[in-house]
Structures are given as C-alpha cells and as structure tokens.
Amino acid sequence: MTLPHFTDADSFHAFRSASPQWLGIALDIARSHGLPIGAPHVFATGTNLVVGLGETLILKIFPPLLAAQFASERGALAQLAGHLDLPIPEIVAEGMRDGWPYLIITRLSGTLGAEVWPQLPEDQKERVLRQIGETIAAVQRTPLGPLASIEPRWDDFLRRQMQGCRARHTRLGLAPKFLAGLDDLLRDAEELIPMDATPVILIGEYIPENFLLACDDGQWSLNGLFDFGDVLAGWRDYDLLGPSAFMAAGRPGRMKSLLEGFGYAKPDFALKRRLMALMLLHRASDLNSHICIEGWQEKADDLVELQELIWPD
C-alpha cells in the first residue's frame, strides 16, 4: 500500500473523499507506532487526511503539495505547548510515508463549536467571544521561536495579497459598490497595517469549526483549540477577522466582548479601517460567504459603511 503523488489539488481532494483508498495506509501508520487502531473514525471535512484512532488520538496525513501546512501545524503545536491555559493537541509521534508527512496528536474533549454556536443564548455568545479574544492575546504573547522564519513572511504575504485583491474579489462576485472603494482602502492599508512591526503568532482561523466548547452548570466555555495549518507570523489584528466575520455578526455586545478580551477598548475609525482592509486581504477572504450579518449587502452602500456595520461602536 502506497500513497500516490498528486500535482493538483482537485486530484487530491477526490482521493481524500474516497477514504477506502487510504484508510488502510493510515491504520498501517498507526500500527507502525504500536498504537491501537480499533474503531477508526474518518473526518470527512478538513484539508488533509484525518482519522481518529479511538477516543484519544488523531492521525493527520499531509500530501506533499500541502507540506507547508505540516510545517505550520508541527511548529505551532511545539511552540505553543505549555504556554496556554486552553488545551491544544500534543504531538505523540510524527513521520513520513511515501513522501507524505504525518502527525499523530492527542484528541481534545468537548463539542465542536460549529455544532452549538447557533443555538447559544446571546449572553453565552458574548462570554465565548470574550474567551476567544483572551485566547488570541495569549497565543500572541507566546514567543515566536522557530515560527519567526515561517513562510510567507508578513511583508511578502501582504504585498502579494494587495496585488491580487481586486482580481480575487471581482472573481468572487463582490458587488461593484464595494469594489469601487477598494483602491482607496488599499492605499490606506499601506499606512494602517504595519509591515515591519514586531510579529506575533497568527493562527488565521479562530472560527467555530476549529474550537471546542464545554458546558458546566449551564455555562458554555472555550475548551480546546485545534488546526494550526495556516499559521503566519505578522500583525496581531489579523486574528480578529475570523470571529468578527463568522461570530460577532455586527452585534455591539459580541464585538465589545471580543475586543475587550483581546485587550482593545472601543474601536476607533483607524482600527475599523485596518480590520476592513485585513478582511479583504485575508488568505481565505470571500466576503459574500463569510460575513454572517443578514442582508449586509443591502445595509451598506460602500466599504466605509460596511466596516461600521461589522465593527459597531
């Protein structure tokens, strides 16, 4: 049994979707480390080949074309170990199979955020968002260590994102009234977003699909953080984008909780402008899919009104 070589993402995605083609290899890897293979669970979502080994371990296998994600995940888990109060996976074993790197990590307990977030009462959502803000700040207080050399570098990443920004959002169908203000926003971005400030660890995706919650006596709390395949070293505000777009939903109480947990007071115009620019420059940016405010396209006439809608006072 060998893992094939892929030169394009579509071929790999088709292979990943057909788990009978690779599950036997995954179990063989687990056996090679003397690990139990009873009741394996294939995770259908995600980017890489991921299988749960019982209740305590997870095996992640990365195709060579996503080797950068392996480096990011491995480096982040090693660097963050012991620095956070919030549980994150621990590396149990690592290796290479047919040119595909893999990690065996501990499995966290809790309920996937995406499963319960929509049903949480408003006060519980504010509570969790405050904890997310605190967690982002704690991650960013962790020394960069070897992650200081992770690619791409922040200045190179931003310049590349700026160069492709208009083409990306045109292709994704952003309304012309928002595209009209893009050049002005990108000019402001060059002044508002530090290119050479001291970088911090950026996870990139603090979203309900990547954290676990637990309920104690009716109070939901953050109980685990996972998926570190898109780590960057750069400007701290970048990590406010995921919870701003997917979770705060333009609600003043939610946004206040997130920003206060992070360490920011009431957002001023410069912060909103910087966050709007970063949201358009994010490596996964797609406003039409990611802004969870009902009817936002009709509620804002330009990017300035949109930033006021997403980050209310």
Side-chain angles (χ1 to χ4, degrees):
M1 296 183 293
T2 59
L3 289 164
H5 175 70
F6 296 110
T7 57
D8 64 276
D10 289 342
S11 298
F12 166 65
H13 292 158
F15 176 74
R16 186 192 68 197
S17 299
S19 59
Q21 296 186 54
W22 57 265
L23 181 57
I25 300 173
L27 298 181
D28 193 52
I29 290 173
R31 275 192 296 265
S32 73
H33 289 277
L35 299 173
I37 59 172
H41 170 72
V42 173
F43 290 87
T45 58
T47 307
N48 301 286
L49 309 182
V50 184
V51 57
L53 304 172
E55 296 298 317
T56 60
L57 297 173
I58 285 178
L59 169 62
K60 297 185 72 170
I61 310 172
F62 302 75
L65 56 88
L66 296 178
Q69 287 202 359
F70 167 78
S72 171
E73 180 110 14
R74 179 180 179 273
L77 290 176
Q79 189 62 21
L80 290 170
H83 286 279
L84 304 179
D85 294 331
L86 187 71
I88 61 171
E90 298 176 12
I91 299 174
V92 174
E94 61 183 272
M96 187 82 69
R97 175 70 175 257
D98 304 320
W100 294 49
Y102 63 82
L103 290 172
I104 299 172
I105 57 178
T106 55
R107 189 169 183 173
L108 304 177
S109 63
T111 303
L112 188 66
E115 294 179 7
V116 295
W117 176 257
Q119 288 79 44
L120 291 186
E122 193 64 24
D123 65 322
Q124 298 289 295
K125 288 181 175 177
E126 292 179 7
R127 170 188 171 88
V128 171
L129 277 165
R130 183 177 297 275
Q131 293 173 347
I132 289 173
E134 293 167 351
T135 298
I136 296 172
V139 168
Q140 295 183 356
R141 287 193 296 269
T142 302
L144 273 173
L147 294 176
S149 60
I150 200 165
E151 295 291 340
R153 292 179 55 86
W154 178 247
D155 53 351
D156 293 337
F157 168 75
L158 266 190
R159 290 190 179 95
R160 186 168 69 243
Q161 295 300 102
M162 287 179 179
Q163 290 168 1
C165 187
R166 175 170 289 278
R168 176 188 182 90
H169 291 289
T170 300
R171 173 175 54 82
L172 292 172
L174 188 62
K177 64 181 179 180
F178 300 122
L179 289 172
L182 197 53
D183 290 341
D184 288 340
L185 182 63
L186 292 176
R187 276 194 295 271
D188 289 350
E190 294 183 5
E191 300 295 327
L192 290 169
I193 304 173
M195 292 278 193
D196 54 2
T198 302
V200 297
I201 298 173
L202 301 174
I203 303 302
E205 292 187 322
Y206 286 91
I207 56 177
E209 289 78 9
N210 290 346
F211 60 75
L212 297 169
L213 298 175
C215 188
D216 181 22
D217 196 23
Q219 296 289 310
W220 285 91
S221 297
L222 206 56
N223 200 58
L225 183 67
F226 62 94
D227 195 349
F228 298 87
D230 292 314
V231 166
L232 290 170
W235 179 246
R236 62 193 311 245
D237 293 355
Y238 185 81
D239 267 351
L240 291 170
L241 303 179
S244 293
F246 287 92
M247 303 173 68
R251 302 287 187 92
R254 295 188 202 177
M255 189 57 67
K256 181 174 183 288
S257 295
L258 172 66
L259 293 179
E260 286 182 353
F262 183 66
Y264 278 170
K266 182 177 177 179
D268 59 14
F269 181 85
L271 176 59
K272 296 178 185 182
R273 191 72 168 159
R274 180 162 63 246
L275 290 172
M276 188 74 254
L278 286 168
M279 184 171 283
L280 285 155
L281 296 171
H282 193 282
R283 69 188 345 163
S285 181
D286 179 0
L287 270 58
N288 289 332
S289 298
H290 295 165
I291 296 179
C292 296
I293 301 174
E294 187 175 354
W296 65 267
Q297 291 94 335
E298 290 73 42
K299 293 177 180 177
D301 288 331
D302 55 34
L303 289 176
V304 174
E305 291 187 8
L306 182 57
Q307 71 194 34
E308 296 296 328
L309 186 66
I310 299 173
W311 294 282
D313 294 334

PDB file of all heavy atoms in Angstrom, residues 231-251:
ATOM      1  N   VAL A 231      -0.699  28.867  10.059  1.00  0.00           N
ATOM      2  CA  VAL A 231      -0.041  29.830  10.936  1.00  0.00           C
ATOM      3  C   VAL A 231       0.879  30.763  10.146  1.00  0.00           C
ATOM      4  O   VAL A 231       1.579  30.343   9.220  1.00  0.00           O
ATOM      5  CB  VAL A 231       0.754  29.092  12.036  1.00  0.00           C
ATOM      6  CG1 VAL A 231       1.726  30.024  12.749  1.00  0.00           C
ATOM      7  CG2 VAL A 231      -0.204  28.469  13.032  1.00  0.00           C
ATOM      8  N   LEU A 232       0.817  32.040  10.514  1.00  0.00           N
ATOM      9  CA  LEU A 232       1.711  33.069   9.983  1.00  0.00           C
ATOM     10  C   LEU A 232       2.376  33.774  11.166  1.00  0.00           C
ATOM     11  O   LEU A 232       1.938  33.631  12.312  1.00  0.00           O
ATOM     12  CB  LEU A 232       0.931  34.114   9.183  1.00  0.00           C
ATOM     13  CG  LEU A 232       0.325  33.738   7.841  1.00  0.00           C
ATOM     14  CD1 LEU A 232      -0.608  34.856   7.364  1.00  0.00           C
ATOM     15  CD2 LEU A 232       1.426  33.511   6.815  1.00  0.00           C
ATOM     16  N   ALA A 233       3.386  34.550  10.882  1.00  0.00           N
ATOM     17  CA  ALA A 233       3.947  35.482  11.859  1.00  0.00           C
ATOM     18  C   ALA A 233       3.727  36.886  11.301  1.00  0.00           C
ATOM     19  O   ALA A 233       4.234  37.209  10.234  1.00  0.00           O
ATOM     20  CB  ALA A 233       5.439  35.214  12.072  1.00  0.00           C
ATOM     21  N   GLY A 234       2.917  37.693  11.996  1.00  0.00           N
ATOM     22  CA  GLY A 234       2.593  39.002  11.445  1.00  0.00           C
ATOM     23  C   GLY A 234       1.871  39.886  12.427  1.00  0.00           C
ATOM     24  O   GLY A 234       1.969  39.711  13.643  1.00  0.00           O
ATOM     25  N   TRP A 235       1.098  40.841  11.885  1.00  0.00           N
ATOM     26  CA  TRP A 235       0.452  41.865  12.700  1.00  0.00           C
ATOM     27  C   TRP A 235      -0.761  41.299  13.433  1.00  0.00           C
ATOM     28  O   TRP A 235      -1.609  40.636  12.870  1.00  0.00           O
ATOM     29  CB  TRP A 235       0.039  43.054  11.831  1.00  0.00           C
ATOM     30  CG  TRP A 235      -0.657  44.138  12.612  1.00  0.00           C
ATOM     31  CD1 TRP A 235      -1.949  44.542  12.495  1.00  0.00           C
ATOM     32  CD2 TRP A 235      -0.087  44.918  13.662  1.00  0.00           C
ATOM     33  NE1 TRP A 235      -2.227  45.532  13.410  1.00  0.00           N
ATOM     34  CE2 TRP A 235      -1.096  45.791  14.143  1.00  0.00           C
ATOM     35  CE3 TRP A 235       1.174  44.968  14.263  1.00  0.00           C
ATOM     36  CZ2 TRP A 235      -0.878  46.699  15.177  1.00  0.00           C
ATOM     37  CZ3 TRP A 235       1.390  45.878  15.297  1.00  0.00           C
ATOM     38  CH2 TRP A 235       0.373  46.736  15.736  1.00  0.00           C
ATOM     39  N   ARG A 236      -0.876  41.627  14.707  1.00  0.00           N
ATOM     40  CA  ARG A 236      -1.803  40.975  15.634  1.00  0.00           C
ATOM     41  C   ARG A 236      -3.280  41.083  15.249  1.00  0.00           C
ATOM     42  O   ARG A 236      -4.064  40.162  15.505  1.00  0.00           O
ATOM     43  CB  ARG A 236      -1.587  41.536  17.038  1.00  0.00           C
ATOM     44  CG  ARG A 236      -1.863  43.031  17.179  1.00  0.00           C
ATOM     45  CD  ARG A 236      -1.334  43.570  18.505  1.00  0.00           C
ATOM     46  NE  ARG A 236      -1.732  42.768  19.657  1.00  0.00           N
ATOM     47  CZ  ARG A 236      -2.520  43.222  20.624  1.00  0.00           C
ATOM     48  NH1 ARG A 236      -3.011  44.452  20.576  1.00  0.00           N
ATOM     49  NH2 ARG A 236      -2.829  42.449  21.645  1.00  0.00           N
ATOM     50  N   ASP A 237      -3.695  42.184  14.641  1.00  0.00           N
ATOM     51  CA  ASP A 237      -5.125  42.379  14.354  1.00  0.00           C
ATOM     52  C   ASP A 237      -5.681  41.359  13.373  1.00  0.00           C
ATOM     53  O   ASP A 237      -6.900  41.152  13.308  1.00  0.00           O
ATOM     54  CB  ASP A 237      -5.366  43.789  13.797  1.00  0.00           C
ATOM     55  CG  ASP A 237      -5.104  44.876  14.829  1.00  0.00           C
ATOM     56  OD1 ASP A 237      -4.830  44.534  15.998  1.00  0.00           O
ATOM     57  OD2 ASP A 237      -5.178  46.064  14.469  1.00  0.00           O
ATOM     58  N   TYR A 238      -4.815  40.728  12.601  1.00  0.00           N
ATOM     59  CA  TYR A 238      -5.253  39.762  11.585  1.00  0.00           C
ATOM     60  C   TYR A 238      -6.120  38.665  12.185  1.00  0.00           C
ATOM     61  O   TYR A 238      -7.061  38.183  11.548  1.00  0.00           O
ATOM     62  CB  TYR A 238      -4.009  39.167  10.922  1.00  0.00           C
ATOM     63  CG  TYR A 238      -4.233  38.227   9.756  1.00  0.00           C
ATOM     64  CD1 TYR A 238      -4.480  38.724   8.477  1.00  0.00           C
ATOM     65  CD2 TYR A 238      -4.140  36.844   9.931  1.00  0.00           C
ATOM     66  CE1 TYR A 238      -4.637  37.870   7.395  1.00  0.00           C
ATOM     67  CE2 TYR A 238      -4.292  35.983   8.853  1.00  0.00           C
ATOM     68  CZ  TYR A 238      -4.543  36.495   7.585  1.00  0.00           C
ATOM     69  OH  TYR A 238      -4.706  35.627   6.528  1.00  0.00           O
ATOM     70  N   ASP A 239      -5.836  38.266  13.421  1.00  0.00           N
ATOM     71  CA  ASP A 239      -6.575  37.147  14.008  1.00  0.00           C
ATOM     72  C   ASP A 239      -7.925  37.548  14.592  1.00  0.00           C
ATOM     73  O   ASP A 239      -8.653  36.682  15.087  1.00  0.00           O
ATOM     74  CB  ASP A 239      -5.719  36.434  15.052  1.00  0.00           C
ATOM     75  CG  ASP A 239      -4.961  35.255  14.445  1.00  0.00           C
ATOM     76  OD1 ASP A 239      -5.248  34.908  13.285  1.00  0.00           O
ATOM     77  OD2 ASP A 239      -4.086  34.689  15.124  1.00  0.00           O
ATOM     78  N   LEU A 240      -8.277  38.813  14.536  1.00  0.00           N
ATOM     79  CA  LEU A 240      -9.619  39.235  14.946  1.00  0.00           C
ATOM     80  C   LEU A 240     -10.650  39.011  13.840  1.00  0.00           C
ATOM     81  O   LEU A 240     -11.854  39.103  14.074  1.00  0.00           O
ATOM     82  CB  LEU A 240      -9.616  40.718  15.331  1.00  0.00           C
ATOM     83  CG  LEU A 240      -8.855  41.076  16.611  1.00  0.00           C
ATOM     84  CD1 LEU A 240      -8.724  42.588  16.725  1.00  0.00           C
ATOM     85  CD2 LEU A 240      -9.556  40.502  17.838  1.00  0.00           C
ATOM     86  N   LEU A 241     -10.178  38.704  12.636  1.00  0.00           N
ATOM     87  CA  LEU A 241     -11.081  38.676  11.482  1.00  0.00           C
ATOM     88  C   LEU A 241     -12.056  37.507  11.521  1.00  0.00           C
ATOM     89  O   LEU A 241     -13.239  37.668  11.214  1.00  0.00           O
ATOM     90  CB  LEU A 241     -10.263  38.642  10.188  1.00  0.00           C
ATOM     91  CG  LEU A 241      -9.284  39.801  10.013  1.00  0.00           C
ATOM     92  CD1 LEU A 241      -8.510  39.647   8.719  1.00  0.00           C
ATOM     93  CD2 LEU A 241     -10.019  41.137  10.032  1.00  0.00           C
ATOM     94  N   GLY A 242     -11.577  36.310  11.855  1.00  0.00           N
ATOM     95  CA  GLY A 242     -12.455  35.140  11.867  1.00  0.00           C
ATOM     96  C   GLY A 242     -13.636  35.316  12.800  1.00  0.00           C
ATOM     97  O   GLY A 242     -14.801  35.210  12.375  1.00  0.00           O
ATOM     98  N   PRO A 243     -13.389  35.609  14.094  1.00  0.00           N
ATOM     99  CA  PRO A 243     -14.531  35.800  14.994  1.00  0.00           C
ATOM    100  C   PRO A 243     -15.369  37.031  14.645  1.00  0.00           C
ATOM    101  O   PRO A 243     -16.580  37.038  14.882  1.00  0.00           O
ATOM    102  CB  PRO A 243     -13.886  35.926  16.374  1.00  0.00           C
ATOM    103  CG  PRO A 243     -12.435  36.164  16.138  1.00  0.00           C
ATOM    104  CD  PRO A 243     -12.108  35.566  14.815  1.00  0.00           C
ATOM    105  N   SER A 244     -14.758  38.058  14.064  1.00  0.00           N
ATOM    106  CA  SER A 244     -15.537  39.234  13.648  1.00  0.00           C
ATOM    107  C   SER A 244     -16.540  38.864  12.564  1.00  0.00           C
ATOM    108  O   SER A 244     -17.712  39.247  12.618  1.00  0.00           O
ATOM    109  CB  SER A 244     -14.611  40.335  13.121  1.00  0.00           C
ATOM    110  OG  SER A 244     -13.803  40.875  14.140  1.00  0.00           O
ATOM    111  N   ALA A 245     -16.085  38.109  11.567  1.00  0.00           N
ATOM    112  CA  ALA A 245     -16.934  37.800  10.412  1.00  0.00           C
ATOM    113  C   ALA A 245     -17.926  36.692  10.712  1.00  0.00           C
ATOM    114  O   ALA A 245     -19.104  36.786  10.369  1.00  0.00           O
ATOM    115  CB  ALA A 245     -16.060  37.415   9.217  1.00  0.00           C
ATOM    116  N   PHE A 246     -17.464  35.616  11.350  1.00  0.00           N
ATOM    117  CA  PHE A 246     -18.285  34.419  11.497  1.00  0.00           C
ATOM    118  C   PHE A 246     -19.145  34.410  12.754  1.00  0.00           C
ATOM    119  O   PHE A 246     -20.135  33.691  12.817  1.00  0.00           O
ATOM    120  CB  PHE A 246     -17.400  33.163  11.517  1.00  0.00           C
ATOM    121  CG  PHE A 246     -16.832  32.793  10.185  1.00  0.00           C
ATOM    122  CD1 PHE A 246     -15.590  33.250   9.791  1.00  0.00           C
ATOM    123  CD2 PHE A 246     -17.548  31.984   9.315  1.00  0.00           C
ATOM    124  CE1 PHE A 246     -15.057  32.904   8.551  1.00  0.00           C
ATOM    125  CE2 PHE A 246     -17.030  31.639   8.076  1.00  0.00           C
ATOM    126  CZ  PHE A 246     -15.790  32.098   7.692  1.00  0.00           C
ATOM    127  N   MET A 247     -18.767  35.191  13.770  1.00  0.00           N
ATOM    128  CA  MET A 247     -19.406  35.017  15.073  1.00  0.00           C
ATOM    129  C   MET A 247     -20.015  36.289  15.651  1.00  0.00           C
ATOM    130  O   MET A 247     -21.084  36.238  16.248  1.00  0.00           O
ATOM    131  CB  MET A 247     -18.380  34.445  16.051  1.00  0.00           C
ATOM    132  CG  MET A 247     -17.765  33.133  15.592  1.00  0.00           C
ATOM    133  SD  MET A 247     -16.427  32.584  16.658  1.00  0.00           S
ATOM    134  CE  MET A 247     -17.344  32.189  18.139  1.00  0.00           C
ATOM    135  N   ALA A 248     -19.348  37.416  15.516  1.00  0.00           N
ATOM    136  CA  ALA A 248     -19.875  38.643  16.133  1.00  0.00           C
ATOM    137  C   ALA A 248     -21.111  39.162  15.408  1.00  0.00           C
ATOM    138  O   ALA A 248     -21.998  39.751  16.017  1.00  0.00           O
ATOM    139  CB  ALA A 248     -18.792  39.720  16.188  1.00  0.00           C
ATOM    140  N   ALA A 249     -21.163  38.950  14.074  1.00  0.00           N
ATOM    141  CA  ALA A 249     -22.359  39.245  13.283  1.00  0.00           C
ATOM    142  C   ALA A 249     -22.864  40.676  13.451  1.00  0.00           C
ATOM    143  O   ALA A 249     -24.069  40.928  13.410  1.00  0.00           O
ATOM    144  CB  ALA A 249     -23.480  38.250  13.621  1.00  0.00           C
ATOM    145  N   GLY A 250     -21.954  41.621  13.647  1.00  0.00           N
ATOM    146  CA  GLY A 250     -22.362  43.016  13.747  1.00  0.00           C
ATOM    147  C   GLY A 250     -23.087  43.376  15.022  1.00  0.00           C
ATOM    148  O   GLY A 250     -23.636  44.468  15.133  1.00  0.00           O
ATOM    149  N   ARG A 251     -23.084  42.479  16.007  1.00  0.00           N
ATOM    150  CA  ARG A 251     -23.767  42.755  17.284  1.00  0.00           C
ATOM    151  C   ARG A 251     -22.813  43.515  18.215  1.00  0.00           C
ATOM    152  O   ARG A 251     -21.734  43.013  18.548  1.00  0.00           O
ATOM    153  CB  ARG A 251     -24.193  41.447  17.950  1.00  0.00           C
ATOM    154  CG  ARG A 251     -25.113  40.562  17.105  1.00  0.00           C
ATOM    155  CD  ARG A 251     -26.517  41.133  17.023  1.00  0.00           C
ATOM    156  NE  ARG A 251     -27.428  40.201  16.363  1.00  0.00           N
ATOM    157  CZ  ARG A 251     -28.164  39.302  17.001  1.00  0.00           C
ATOM    158  NH1 ARG A 251     -28.093  39.213  18.318  1.00  0.00           N
ATOM    159  NH2 ARG A 251     -28.975  38.494  16.330  1.00  0.00           N
TER     160      ARG A 251
END
